[in-house]
Amino acid sequence: MSSIESNVTETRVFPPADAVVKKATISGMAAYEALCKEADQDYAGFWARLAREHVSWKQPFTKSLDESKAPFYEWFADGKLNVSYNCLDRNIEAGLGDKVAIIFEADGGQVSKITYKELLVRVARFANALKAQGIKKGDRVLIYMPMSVEGVVAMQACARIGAIHSVVFGGFSAKSVQERIQDAGAVAVITSDEQCRGGKNIPLKPAVDDGIAMGGCESIKTVIVFKRTGGPCNMVAGRDIWWEDATAGQSDVCEPEWVGAEHPLFLLYTSGSTGKPKGVQHSSGGYLLHAILTMKWTFDIKPDDVFWCTADIGWVTGHTYITYGPLACGATEIVFEGVPTYPDAGRFWKTIEKHKVNIFYTAPTAIRSLIKAGENAPTTHPKNFDLSSLRILGSVGEPINPEAWMWYYNNVGGARCPIVDTFWQTETGGHMITPLPGATPLVPGSCTLPFPGIAAAIVDETGNDVEWGKGGFLVVKKPWPAMIRTIYGDPERYKKSYFPVDFGGNLYLAGDGAMRDAKTGYFTIMGRIDDVLNVSGHRMGTMEIESALVSNPLVAEAAVVGRPDDLTGEAICAFVVLKQARPTAEEAKKIANELRNWVGKEIGPIAKPKDIRFGENLPKTRSGKIMRRLLRSLAKGEEITQDVSTLENPGILDQLKQNA
Ligand code: PRX
């Protein structure tokens, strides 16, 4: 049974324990329903009330939602604020200056702590350094950094001066860096010499040098380099400057740049169904509001909590639940540089024990890999650690199969911690469909019900509601404050991707299939409906991987599909036609490896296909269209039962059954 089927047929229900309900900010289903009702009755008013209560404004807004340029919606547009002020200064003004903001847990296990006051000083000095380099409000700044306090400082410093950051995950290639610099027209890159992962030092700066050298990056005037390891690092005279030198002598005080609520806070590139990643643009005011509210309602964050989100700042989860949300709530959070399996698979549990983590947020792939590791190395099993500090667990990025959910619930949460399975996307800014821990009865594998004020629904291909119990397209029927504002430089693509006319032009199309339980209305996400794969919770476009493959001189044609994988959720399977004759088995292995490394260099190691199969051709219809459905069946190892009579070349199917 596939994990999606088993999610849909799940019948176990876990109501929240009384103790959890009693203390929760949103306590009981009636409180949840009251919020939904309030949103229903006066939608713009609901969000305006919350924006006034939870965000500090330099200049209050007078209007909540502006739909006049739909689907380019605006929220709180005449209000002015600064996101970094909301994350730092206002906590200090509230007496939290000496509270630990960040506990940095380095790859090797070294710990350093930094208070809100200290963090503000670091952000202010770095913000002044950026200004001294000529960087100003509205400029785009690429951040290509390892998990570090400095990564958070760099993002916060951009926010402080109104520069727009675009973080690129440290696992992406030089070419990805180049493409993002070009698309964003970035004026500066902030990077580090190396990164530390699993006990190894891995160079980072060369990818910036190589990316810029690929050309078309003339917009870059400055590269600021943080010294993480002190390893060898080439510095380009007149362009590159060490972090230490850039901040030396800078003032500890930097007046925040007060920006309009709609001022872009960041761009974050993500995969879509075409070859080119899209620069998802987020706002300042609406985004911050959702980051704060979801911290308070989904994670039920309390003043004494230690919060730990294991994501990387290169992904949206790291933006909302490391850099912005926890700090805007004055929380203490862990910033973790390492990997879950170093020095062994007990690392997460040891870190929770060491820092008495209360709220822990991670991805199903990590849980699945640790289940497996714990079977092979019993000392790393969570039962060997004191995890009694945990109060709430979270899951994000991909569907969690009920087996992994139960293991997480019992072994990590001691059968007492609610699991919030949070469905959301780079484009949504924060949680969209999620349990609230003190209210929602949990069902393993279901992300349950929409966050209050989120008009999630399931429709057919014409945009009409489908009945509960039937599958369809996941949409959001009303704009919400943290939603994507546009695709940077491509407003048409924004409209086409998210508000397609087939669906009426006014529904936000998430790109996922979903269904609601016939009785409870609980949502289950069934996976992407477009050519986007989800590998270990990382979003990859099949077209991006195909473009990378066909750019290799050996390759004539390539098609990429996903197939289910027990560990990574989905695995990448590439069908390749070479320019040369079909290789022998031995040759095939060698070329497959070469192609994997090629894709690793073009995009990043996470995009390397797990399976590669060679054929003299791809299965095509007589009109030349690749039959992807067949490829998906082949990838899964299924018998082909579909009608293949329209195939131009049925004989090809046999060739494509075997992995190289
Ligand atoms: O397919 C859904 C899946 O991840 C996609 C969004 O990926 P990305 O923009 O990289 O953001 C990931 C982190 C928010 C969605 O379209 N997804 C995300 N969370 C879940 C999920 N699928 C099922 N359950 C989830 N909780």
Side-chain angles (χ1 to χ4, degrees):
M1 189 159 64
S2 85
S3 62
I4 285 169
E5 278 169 70
S6 62
N7 286 8
V8 170
T9 53
E10 179 62 51
T11 52
R12 285 168 287 196
V13 181
F14 297 80
D18 287 348
V20 179
V21 178
K22 240 188 229 149
K23 289 199 187 135
T25 301
I26 308 300
S27 174
M29 274 312 262
Y32 166 76
E33 279 154 11
L35 287 167
C36 296
K37 194 165 158 210
E38 183 190 345
D40 239 19
Q41 286 170 347
D42 174 11
Y43 191 68
F46 168 78
W47 287 113
R49 170 178 78 76
L50 295 165
R52 287 192 189 100
E53 284 173 13
H54 296 271
V55 173
S56 296
W57 299 89
K58 180 73 173 173
Q59 176 185 301
F61 57 89
T62 60
K63 195 164 180 223
S64 176
L65 167 64
D66 180 352
E67 300 186 88
S68 60
K69 296 183 275 271
F72 300 91
Y73 298 98
E74 293 190 348
W75 286 91
F76 323 125
D78 62 350
K80 284 203 162 156
L81 80 165
N82 179 280
V83 171
S84 143
Y85 171 86
N86 271 270
C87 294
L88 302 170
D89 314 57
R90 81 159 167 174
N91 291 320
I92 296 166
E93 287 161 19
L96 300 178
D98 294 322
K99 181 174 178 179
V100 172
I102 294 177
I103 302 172
F104 179 63
E105 168 88 21
D107 188 53
Q110 304 85 344
V111 173
S112 43
K113 296 185 180 178
I114 170 166
T115 65
Y116 273 93
K117 257 190 215 154
E118 290 163 344
L119 185 59
L120 175 58
V121 166
R122 287 218 216 168
V123 169
R125 292 184 72 194
F126 194 66
N128 286 327
L130 292 176
K131 286 205 270 190
Q133 295 298 323
I135 298 164
K136 52 185 193 314
K137 179 180 170 190
D139 284 345
R140 277 81 57 217
V141 175
L142 208 92
I143 298 180
Y144 187 63
M145 293 276 279
M147 284 300 291
S148 52
V149 174
E150 286 71 18
V152 175
V153 167
M155 293 165 80
Q156 287 279 352
C158 287
R160 195 154 189 97
I161 66 169
I164 303 165
H165 60 68
S166 175
V167 184
V168 179
F169 173 58
F172 278 129
S173 64
K175 182 135 186 281
S176 304
V177 170
Q178 178 218 23
E179 285 169 358
R180 285 155 176 76
I181 289 173
Q182 278 184 336
D183 192 81
V187 300
V189 180
I190 306 167
T191 188
S192 74
D193 52 355
E194 299 188 309
Q195 55 180 331
C196 309
R197 280 179 74 79
K200 293 195 197 90
N201 294 349
I202 305 163
L204 200 61
K205 171 76 168 26
V208 174
D209 293 342
D210 296 351
I212 294 176
M214 284 172 183
C217 297
E218 292 71 26
S219 57
I220 295 292
K221 301 288 178 275
T222 314
V223 176
I224 303 178
V225 188
F226 165 64
K227 205 176 272 176
R228 171 63 187 94
T229 63
C233 182
N234 172 50
M235 296 291 278
V236 175
R239 186 196 73 184
D240 300 357
I241 178 169
W242 291 106
W243 178 293
E244 292 160 75
D245 296 336
T247 49
Q250 293 297 342
S251 163
D252 289 353
V253 180
C254 175
E255 171 69 8
E257 178 81 36
W258 304 104
V259 299
E262 282 298 320
H263 182 71
L265 179 63
F266 65 86
L267 310 179
L268 185 57
Y269 284 81
T270 190
S271 298
S273 42
T274 67
K276 198 172 149 237
K278 35 195 182 183
V280 171
Q281 180 179 316
H282 276 288
S283 71
S284 297
Y287 170 80
L288 178 68
L289 171 62
H290 207 67
I292 295 174
L293 273 185
T294 49
M295 284 300 301
K296 291 185 178 171
W297 294 357
T298 312
F299 291 125
D300 197 39
I301 190 97
K302 294 285 190 307
D304 293 329
D305 280 334
V306 176
F307 178 83
W308 183 17
C309 164
T310 68
D312 190 285
I313 51 167
W315 308 111
V316 75
T317 308
H319 282 57
T320 308
Y321 300 107
I322 295 177
T323 301
Y324 293 115
L327 297 177
C329 293
T332 296
E333 67 169 326
I334 308 243
V335 170
F336 177 65
E337 181 186 45
V339 295
T341 48
Y342 177 80
D344 60 41
R347 182 69 189 273
F348 274 2
W349 324 131
K350 191 169 176 200
T351 304
I352 292 171
E353 179 180 75
K354 177 152 80 169
H355 301 297
K356 303 207 167 18
V357 172
N358 306 104
I359 305 168
F360 179 64
Y361 191 34
T362 196
T365 291
I367 296 164
R368 287 191 294 262
S369 72
L370 296 177
I371 296 175
K372 224 175 165 180
E375 282 162 8
N376 299 332
T379 53
T380 67
H381 190 280
K383 70 177 177 222
N384 302 308
F385 300 84
D386 177 6
L387 305 182
S388 58
S389 59
L390 286 173
R391 201 161 64 77
I392 290 166
L393 303 176
S395 172
V396 60
E398 47 181 327
I400 179 162
N401 47 311
E403 300 71 25
W405 195 101
M406 287 306 308
W407 186 90
Y408 194 28
Y409 186 75
N410 287 323
N411 295 292
V412 182
R416 56 165 213 285
C417 306
I419 298 178
V420 289
D421 174 3
T422 60
F423 167 83
W424 61 296
Q425 309 175 292
T426 305
E427 293 88 340
T428 70
H431 305 154
M432 297 299 278
I433 307 181
T434 176
L436 303 186
T440 321
L442 306 171
V443 172
S446 167
C447 52
T448 74
L449 295 169
F451 193 79
I454 299 299
I458 298 177
V459 299
D460 63 19
E461 53 290 325
T462 56
N464 291 313
D465 284 326
V466 300
E467 290 167 48
W468 289 8
K470 295 217 168 102
F473 300 91
L474 180 63
V475 296
V476 187
K477 291 190 160 181
K478 288 181 190 165
W480 67 101
M483 70 189 291
I484 173 176
R485 291 306 193 262
T486 189
I487 292 175
Y488 188 75
D490 202 347
E492 271 313 303
R493 189 171 173 200
Y494 164 79
K495 278 209 262 186
K496 265 203 215 133
S497 308
Y498 304 110
F499 297 91
V501 281
D502 311 357
F503 289 80
N506 59 353
L507 302 179
Y508 169 84
L509 184 68
D512 282 288
M515 72 181 275
R516 302 189 70 162
D517 182 83
K519 283 203 205 94
T520 59
Y522 273 21
F523 286 75
T524 296
I525 306 297
M526 331 255 301
R528 300 287 307 191
I529 50 160
D530 50 11
D531 297 318
V532 170
L533 306 182
N534 192 327
V535 182
S536 303
H538 297 148
R539 192 162 147 181
M540 301 295 332
T542 52
M543 296 267 286
E544 259 173 279
I545 307 169
E546 287 167 13
S547 316
L549 283 168
V550 295
S551 70
N552 183 292
L554 295 175
V555 176
E557 214 179 344
V560 168
V561 299
R563 65 156 173 81
D565 183 277
D566 283 348
L567 202 61
T568 56
E570 259 186 312
I572 301 169
C573 183
F575 295 88
V576 176
V577 182
L578 294 173
K579 288 180 186 157
Q580 66 174 66
R582 200 160 164 256
T584 60
E586 203 175 311
E587 267 180 324
K589 276 209 164 49
K590 201 172 136 254
I591 300 177
N593 261 340
E594 235 176 275
L595 294 182
R596 277 192 193 98
N597 292 336
W598 176 272
V599 174
K601 266 189 88 174
E602 287 286 298
I603 304 175
I606 52 170
K608 287 183 181 180
K610 187 158 185 180
D611 304 343
I612 297 189
R613 300 179 185 191
F614 296 105
E616 279 156 18
N617 204 337
L618 298 172
K620 289 180 188 151
T621 60
R622 289 198 184 93
S623 56
K625 217 171 152 252
I626 297 172
M627 294 187 70
R628 284 174 185 276
R629 260 185 312 118
L630 283 183
L631 292 179
R632 277 191 279 270
S633 298
L634 285 170
K636 277 193 215 166
E638 285 173 355
E639 269 313 304
I640 303 290
T641 51
Q642 292 111 314
D643 178 12
V644 293
S645 59
T646 54
L647 261 191
E648 150 118 59
N649 46 0
I652 226 70
L653 297 178
D654 274 341
Q655 295 183 2
L656 296 171
K657 279 188 180 151
Q658 286 297 322
N659 279 332

